[in-house]
Amino acid sequence: MADIKKVLIANRGEIACRVMKTCHKLGIATVAVYSDADGAALHVEMADESCFLGAASPRESYLSIPKIIFAAQQTGAQAIHPGYGFLSENAEFAEAVAKAGLIFIGPPAAAIRAMGGKSESKALMEKAKVPLVQGYHGDKQEEKFLLAEAEKIGFPVLIKASAGGGGKGMRVVEDAKDFSEALTGAQREAKSSFNNEKVLIEKYLVNPRHVEIQVFADQHGNAVYLFERDCSIQRRHQKVLEEAPAPGLSQATREKMGAAAVAAAKAINYVGAGTVEFLLDAKENFYFMEMNTRLQVEHPVTEMITGLDLVEWQIRVAQGERLPLTQKDLKINGHAFEVRLYAEDPAKDFLPGAGQIQFLRFPMESAEGENLVRVDTGVREAPYGNGDVISIHYDPMIAKIITWGKDRAAALQNMQEALDETYIAGPKSNINFLRTLVRNPAFKSGKVNTHFIADHHHALLPERVVPAQETLVLSVLGLLTQRGEQVSADPWSSLSAWRIGGNDTDKFKFKDETGEYALAVSYPNLTITLPNGKAVKAHYTPSSFDMGFEAQVDGHKYNAVVCQNGTRLTVMYAGHHEELTYLDPLHAGEGADEVAGKLTAPMPGKVVAVRVTLGAKVKKGQPLVIVEAMKMEHTITAPADGIVEAINANVGDQVNEKHELIALK
Ligand code: ADP
């Protein structure tokens, strides 16, 4: 039995940090690898040693097999943990690791290969008598033939890229007349994303649930299942919230699904942690979708309900030990949820985002053994404002927040509280969406399926409403706090009697999509007059963390944080996250429109068009440069009439956030 003493983690972000935690617990030394974008990243700081790989682009760094193996050899690591994503399901990598005399903490290359293609894995599963969704997954790819197969199955059907992942190359076809166009689209996307046009056709199940089984196998032929996770809450066919166990699943079905998943693993001589994904219909019929031959993002919910450390199991299995428990020793204890906090914009169809983290606070994690709240993250807000960046090069996930409770209601209650204690400013995030989701009555009742978000769109993504009165008042107090800190030597002293420039009154103006809001402030007794004419008394003191303050407004108490980035304010308090534009009189003309018209890049990205030449006369609002970031184009327009004095952008340039693209006179 090999004894692993040093592990290289061939990954970044939260999963790299998560794997290191277990290694350190087991007394195993860790080696981090990092790209140009990650020199100061948390996973590098956490590791005992680190190796630089190359440029930020994954191809130059986290996807480079030779560089990673070289790093392991240089540092004397005996094993490599691939995490998820990147090289985790790459059979060539698993082989290269073994060839270099190192231990791959994952399944054998042959098992990865067997499950690599959706079509091929289905053929294998058919043989192992694992139930499949009705469909065609053979080699014939002519349109006429595939259409005939679709008609045999009956519409609606789903066309899927065999090499697919991340929901790419997938098309639902409702009617035969749309088949040809959908097929061409799926093939085109499959070709560009996976360099493989092969597709399969499946019956498109109406409102199924996504229920997956965690399996584990050792090198001695033992395999067990660690129960299920329900991952039905999805947007763009991708998971955003997971829970274990699956709400309402009968014990009989759980056992049948578990047995099918173990059969699937045994059919390919699986070793290590794997997940068998199924679709489940309303009658609890289940159908194999695919097997993921790695640790999943959502593995913490399984850890919460079993009390096990799956990374520890992975390491034990990799060094040749037997599975620590047998099937009959495994029990479900309570219920767990995981939400994925993403830099994305739910209002824009969950478009991924990026940018620097300005403010970040997570709920307090429970003490070891208590496990009510857990936060897995790879980023932090560095002190003094130079926070980590959600990079356009990698996954936009900021953190996973996981909660446990003795039953579903208790776990959900803990999640509601945990999300209320989560603060994020900087990139746009899905925090408000997650908060609404975990309070949604239909979700609370456990009636989940893969169309849940689409079906409850209006409840989950309400139209922007006018800002709450307290949001406006707290915005004013937030701005006063920031000014007050300059005049108050004692941050704990009350600032309610402070006067600005000796004036008795002051005006503050804010703006959002719903309109403009003006508030008047009178001193010294700090009375704030709201846009509707109502006057409220306020009192505030800066709190222990920077940018935060405690306020009393009209007798109500608030703990609030207001982050200012240019004219953009993020106002956070008791489960609220709102954004406003501050129309600052000292920077007249720098309103919301002008923010969009700034001559600097809004986020790191690539210049895709330069619309002006040196010396050109431009009019206010005229497009100057287009920057593409995170699959979205941002147009930089002229904030005023002027003459182009300098151009610091060429088509194809990679630019950083705040890079000055154009100078206008
Ligand atoms: P990917 O590997 O690209 O993520 P999957 O095959 O795992 O794609 O499917 C992703 C999601 O698409 C599933 O979780 C489910 O919501 C939906 N889906 C997949 N196959 C079907 C089907 N036959 N019927 C209905 N929904 C499906």
Side-chain angles (χ1 to χ4, degrees):
M1 199 187 306
D3 212 5
I4 298 173
K5 294 201 174 62
K6 195 189 260 191
V7 172
L8 179 140
I9 297 99
N11 216 298
R12 65 181 298 284
E14 68 91 13
I15 190 60
C17 297
R18 193 264 159 268
V19 172
M20 283 181 209
K21 272 191 190 157
T22 295
C23 290
H24 294 156
K25 181 182 85 183
L26 299 176
I28 296 171
T30 52
V31 182
V33 289
Y34 64 99
S35 73
D36 259 341
D38 284 338
L42 186 60
H43 77 277
V44 178
E45 191 180 292
M46 264 182 80
D48 298 310
E49 286 171 70
S50 58
C51 287
F52 173 69
L53 293 176
S57 149
R59 221 178 274 277
E60 303 288 323
S61 47
Y62 301 106
L63 285 176
S64 168
I65 296 177
K67 284 182 183 173
I68 288 170
I69 295 203
F70 183 69
Q73 286 167 333
Q74 285 290 300
T75 53
Q78 296 129 328
I80 296 184
H81 193 299
Y84 56 71
F86 295 125
L87 294 167
S88 61
E89 293 183 280
N90 184 316
E92 271 168 50
F93 180 54
E95 263 161 8
V97 172
K99 217 167 142 197
L102 304 166
I103 297 171
F104 181 68
I105 305 181
I112 299 178
R113 232 169 237 134
M115 288 296 177
K118 291 189 204 282
S119 302
E120 297 73 16
S121 65
K122 287 192 142 182
L124 264 169
M125 290 303 102
E126 206 164 29
K127 271 200 212 139
K129 304 228 171 347
V130 177
L132 303 181
V133 189
Q134 187 194 355
Y136 174 76
H137 49 258
D139 289 333
K140 285 198 184 172
Q141 296 288 305
E142 298 81 44
E143 181 179 330
K144 239 174 99 184
F145 175 82
L146 292 175
L147 175 61
E149 286 296 319
E151 275 168 337
K152 236 194 266 169
I153 300 162
F155 289 93
V157 298
L158 184 63
I159 305 175
K160 268 190 198 177
S162 177
K168 291 196 194 96
M170 239 157 82
R171 292 283 190 287
V172 180
V173 194
E174 303 280 351
D175 194 290
K177 72 173 172 21
D178 304 323
F179 188 83
S180 175
E181 200 185 316
L183 178 65
T184 319
Q187 286 169 331
R188 196 174 46 225
E189 218 166 279
K191 173 96 182 135
S192 81
S193 299
F194 315 109
N195 201 24
N196 181 347
E197 278 188 349
K198 189 173 177 184
V199 297
L200 60 96
I201 314 276
E202 262 177 22
K203 176 85 194 156
Y204 185 63
L205 300 184
V206 185
N207 297 341
R209 286 165 69 179
H210 173 123
V211 177
E212 57 184 36
I213 305 284
Q214 175 72 55
V215 291
F216 240 102
D218 65 20
Q219 299 180 30
H220 309 279
N222 304 303
V224 295
Y225 64 91
L226 277 66
F227 315 108
E228 78 280 4
R229 295 183 284 259
D230 191 313
C231 314
S232 299
I233 303 296
Q234 305 180 346
R235 79 272 181 264
R236 293 186 278 107
H237 293 298
Q238 297 301 302
K239 302 158 187 169
V240 66
L241 174 148
E242 302 93 354
E243 61 182 297
L249 189 75
S250 71
Q251 182 59 22
T253 305
R254 172 171 299 125
E255 284 170 16
K256 267 196 255 167
M257 292 180 84
V262 167
K266 288 200 161 160
I268 56 165
N269 299 319
Y270 199 76
V271 175
T275 295
V276 185
E277 296 190 332
F278 294 102
L279 289 171
L280 184 80
D281 71 15
K283 293 188 185 131
E284 293 204 347
N285 297 307
F286 58 88
Y287 309 95
F288 172 85
M289 239 187 324
E290 64 172 344
M291 180 169 182
N292 291 323
T293 52
R294 55 169 156 83
L295 193 68
Q296 302 263 102
V297 175
E298 59 274 20
H299 75 276
V301 290
T302 301
E303 298 187 318
M304 286 288 216
I305 62 156
T306 56
L308 301 170
D309 178 334
L310 298 197
V311 174
E312 180 177 342
W313 275 42
Q314 283 190 299
I315 294 170
R316 291 195 183 285
V317 164
Q319 58 188 20
E321 292 179 35
R322 287 174 186 278
L323 289 179
L325 296 173
T326 63
Q327 194 65 54
K328 67 173 177 13
D329 301 324
L330 288 158
K331 299 262 160 2
I332 296 178
N333 176 25
H335 202 100
F337 285 94
E338 172 183 284
V339 297
R340 303 188 188 188
L341 180 65
Y342 274 109
E344 65 181 19
D345 189 354
K348 289 195 180 129
D349 197 22
F350 300 94
L351 190 82
Q356 187 167 56
I357 293 175
Q358 218 193 334
F359 189 88
L360 187 65
R361 289 291 182 282
F362 290 120
M364 187 104 100
E365 286 194 274
S366 310
E368 188 79 45
E370 203 188 326
N371 260 348
L372 293 172
V373 181
R374 164 173 163 186
V375 179
D376 283 15
T377 186
V379 293
R380 72 237 134 127
E381 172 209 314
Y384 316 113
N386 218 359
D388 283 353
V389 169
I390 302 297
S391 164
I392 52 161
H393 295 288
Y394 313 119
D395 188 76
M397 193 162 75
I398 301 164
K400 306 187 304 206
I401 297 165
I402 306 115
T403 60
W404 182 89
K406 64 181 187 334
D407 53 28
R408 189 172 190 268
L412 197 52
Q413 173 75 32
N414 287 338
M415 182 58 84
Q416 291 169 2
E417 286 166 18
L419 286 174
D420 281 354
E421 288 162 27
T422 303
Y423 294 75
I424 164 105
K428 271 211 166 35
S429 83
N430 62 347
I431 180 78
N432 280 338
F433 169 79
L434 294 174
R435 281 194 181 130
T436 313
L437 173 64
V438 299
R439 285 184 171 79
N440 179 275
F443 180 70
K444 277 169 137 173
S445 73
K447 288 190 201 112
V448 294
N449 66 52
T450 57
H451 291 256
F452 189 91
I453 293 178
D455 290 349
H456 296 84
H457 195 268
H458 289 297
L460 297 174
L461 294 155
E463 294 273 300
R464 174 104 201 192
V465 290
V466 297
Q469 294 186 352
E470 54 261 59
T471 302
L472 294 172
V473 173
L474 292 170
S475 302
V476 169
L477 298 183
L479 291 168
L480 289 181
T481 313
Q482 282 162 28
R483 293 182 196 172
E485 276 174 353
Q486 294 159 14
V487 296
S488 170
D490 171 15
W492 292 101
S493 67
S494 165
L495 298 167
S496 61
W498 183 63
R499 290 165 163 227
I500 297 170
N503 287 339
D504 287 338
T505 60
D506 204 354
K507 282 205 162 33
F508 287 84
K509 225 176 181 186
F510 305 100
K511 181 178 160 167
D512 72 2
E513 297 96 305
T514 62
E516 278 189 23
Y517 304 93
L519 289 90
V521 181
S522 70
Y523 311 94
N525 289 325
L526 206 58
T527 305
I528 300 180
T529 310
L530 290 155
N532 64 6
K534 187 181 165 198
V536 294
K537 281 217 167 313
H539 178 93
Y540 67 97
T541 44
S543 74
S544 50
F545 46 78
D546 47 318
M547 294 187 271
F549 59 94
E550 288 157 24
Q552 273 211 27
V553 180
D554 227 8
H556 294 281
K557 276 193 178 161
Y558 298 93
N559 272 310
V561 181
V562 174
C563 282
Q564 184 172 4
N565 187 2
T567 56
R568 189 173 152 217
L569 295 186
T570 308
V571 188
M572 299 171 276
Y573 63 97
H576 288 256
H577 253 78
E578 293 198 45
E579 280 186 12
L580 292 173
T581 301
Y582 172 40
L583 301 175
D584 186 350
L586 296 176
H587 298 92
E590 253 188 50
D593 301 337
E594 285 73 28
V595 171
K598 257 191 169 176
L599 303 181
T600 54
M603 57 167 88
K606 193 168 120 185
V607 177
V608 292
V610 179
R611 290 280 165 80
V612 287
T613 50
L614 210 59
K617 270 192 183 162
V618 296
K619 289 235 166 297
K620 181 178 174 178
Q622 185 177 330
L624 304 175
V625 178
I626 301 175
V627 176
E628 185 199 80
M630 310 289 293
K631 298 177 194 145
M632 194 183 150
E633 292 190 350
H634 306 265
T635 304
I636 285 74
T637 57
D641 294 358
I643 293 168
V644 177
E645 211 176 29
I647 301 178
N648 305 314
N650 293 305
V651 172
D653 284 357
Q654 283 290 342
V655 291
N656 288 324
E657 191 182 357
K658 304 217 174 101
H659 172 90
E660 191 177 28
L661 301 160
I662 296 262
L664 279 189
K665 194 162 70 176

